[in-house]
Amino acid sequence: MLDLAVFASGNGTNLQAIIDAIKSGILNAEIKLVISNNPDAYALKRAEIQKIPTKIVSKEMFENREDFVNALIGILKAHSVSFIALAGYIKKIPHEIVGIYKNRIVNIHPALLPSFGGKGMYGMRVHQAVIEAGCKVTGVTVHIVDDEYDHGPIVAQECVPVLHNDTPEALAERVHKVEHRIYPRVLQLFSLGLIRIDGRKVTILEERVNNRT
Ligand code: GRF
C-alpha cells in the first residue's frame, strides 16, 4: 500500500487517472494529499471533489529556501507520505526531499527520455519539439526523480506514433491516453514491491506479478 502525495501544477488528468485507479481497485494506494505550486491548478479542484487534502506550497511564499524546504518536509511527514508521484509538476523537487524519499519519487514525462526532456521541456513544448524534429515515434516515460530535471532511472516507457500532419494538441491527446494507463500501473508495481533499482538499472519483477494474478 502506497501512502501517496501527488504533486501537480496543472490540469491533473494524471492525478485523476490515479484517483480512478484507486477507486476501481487497480491501484492499492491512498492519496494522502495533493500539493501544488499553482493555486489555480485544476488538479486541486479534482482533489477537493474527492475530499483529498490539498496544500499550495511555493518557494515565493517563504522568506528563504530553507523555510520552504522545511515546510514541505513537515507537510509530507504530517500526512505520513511514503511515496511521491509527480503528475505535471513543473518545479524541481528540492534535493533534501529527493534524499529523504530516495527512489520513492516518480515522474511521468510525455516523451521518450532522454530525448525531449530537461528544464523548460514540459507540456505542449515537448510535443511541438517532437513534431519539429520530424520524429516518427514519441511516447511516455515514467522515471525515478533525482536532482536533475527528467534525468533519474527509467522505470517504464511506451511508444506513441507521431502521425503525418499531427498537431501538438492531437499528439498530446494520444500521449495522455497512454499516460493514464501506464502511470497507475507503474505505481501499483511499486505498491507490490516489484521494482528493483540498482543504479540506473530498474528491473520489474514481472514474474511475481504473473504469479499473483
Ligand atoms: C503530462 O503530459 C505529463 O507527462 C507531464 O505533464 C503533463 C501533465 O498533464 N509531466 P496533466 O496535468 O496530468 O493532465
Side-chain angles (χ1 to χ4, degrees):
M1 169 89 168
L2 295 181
D3 291 321
L4 272 182
V6 179
F7 284 55
S9 305
N11 186 358
T13 63
N14 279 286
L15 166 66
Q16 190 67 51
I18 295 168
I19 291 170
D20 295 346
I22 292 171
K23 280 188 165 175
S24 64
I26 293 168
L27 172 57
N28 188 22
E30 182 183 340
I31 304 177
K32 295 288 188 173
L33 87 158
V34 171
I35 294 180
S36 185
N37 60 303
N38 172 16
D40 299 325
Y42 189 67
L44 293 170
K45 185 83 196 151
R46 293 179 192 273
E48 281 157 20
I49 290 168
Q50 305 297 327
K51 310 221 175 341
I52 297 168
T54 60
K55 284 267 186 236
I56 297 158
V57 190
S58 74
K59 223 191 286 180
E60 297 70 43
M61 292 161 55
F62 297 86
E63 287 219 336
N64 53 53
R65 183 185 177 279
E66 199 185 343
D67 288 355
F68 163 64
V69 173
N70 286 337
L72 255 186
I73 293 171
I75 289 166
L76 294 170
K77 282 200 177 142
H79 288 82
S80 306
V81 169
S82 66
F83 200 94
I84 297 172
L86 310 187
Y89 185 65
I90 59 169
K91 300 288 185 184
K92 204 161 177 181
I93 296 294
H95 75 90
E96 293 87 341
I97 293 177
V98 171
I100 294 169
Y101 287 89
K102 187 165 167 51
N103 291 340
R104 286 182 291 137
I105 310 178
V106 289
N107 180 42
I108 188 156
H109 185 78
L112 295 174
L113 293 175
S115 296
F116 302 106
K119 192 167 164 52
M121 281 302 261
Y122 60 85
M124 238 18 111
R125 295 182 198 188
V126 177
H127 306 297
Q128 181 84 47
V130 164
I131 290 169
E132 277 170 12
C135 293
K136 303 299 181 219
V137 288
T138 182
V140 173
T141 302
V142 179
H143 66 94
I144 301 290
V145 170
D146 67 7
D147 284 326
E148 287 178 50
Y149 276 110
D150 301 327
H151 174 265
I154 291 169
V155 180
Q157 289 187 308
E158 189 169 315
C159 290
V160 175
V162 181
L163 303 181
H164 184 59
N165 287 339
D166 241 344
T167 60
E169 291 75 17
L171 184 54
E173 198 180 319
R174 291 203 311 286
V175 168
H176 257 118
K177 280 201 181 122
V178 175
E179 291 185 328
H180 299 159
R181 176 164 45 74
I182 79 167
Y183 210 12
R185 165 141 174 81
V186 169
L187 291 171
Q188 176 64 354
L189 292 172
F190 276 101
S191 173
L192 292 170
L194 294 177
I195 307 272
R196 182 186 297 152
I197 302 158
D198 183 12
R200 289 202 66 83
K201 197 173 162 213
V202 178
T203 312
I204 297 176
L205 306 170
E206 286 285 358
E207 274 178 34
R208 283 178 54 200
V209 176
N210 295 335
N211 289 343
R212 283 176 192 211
T213 51

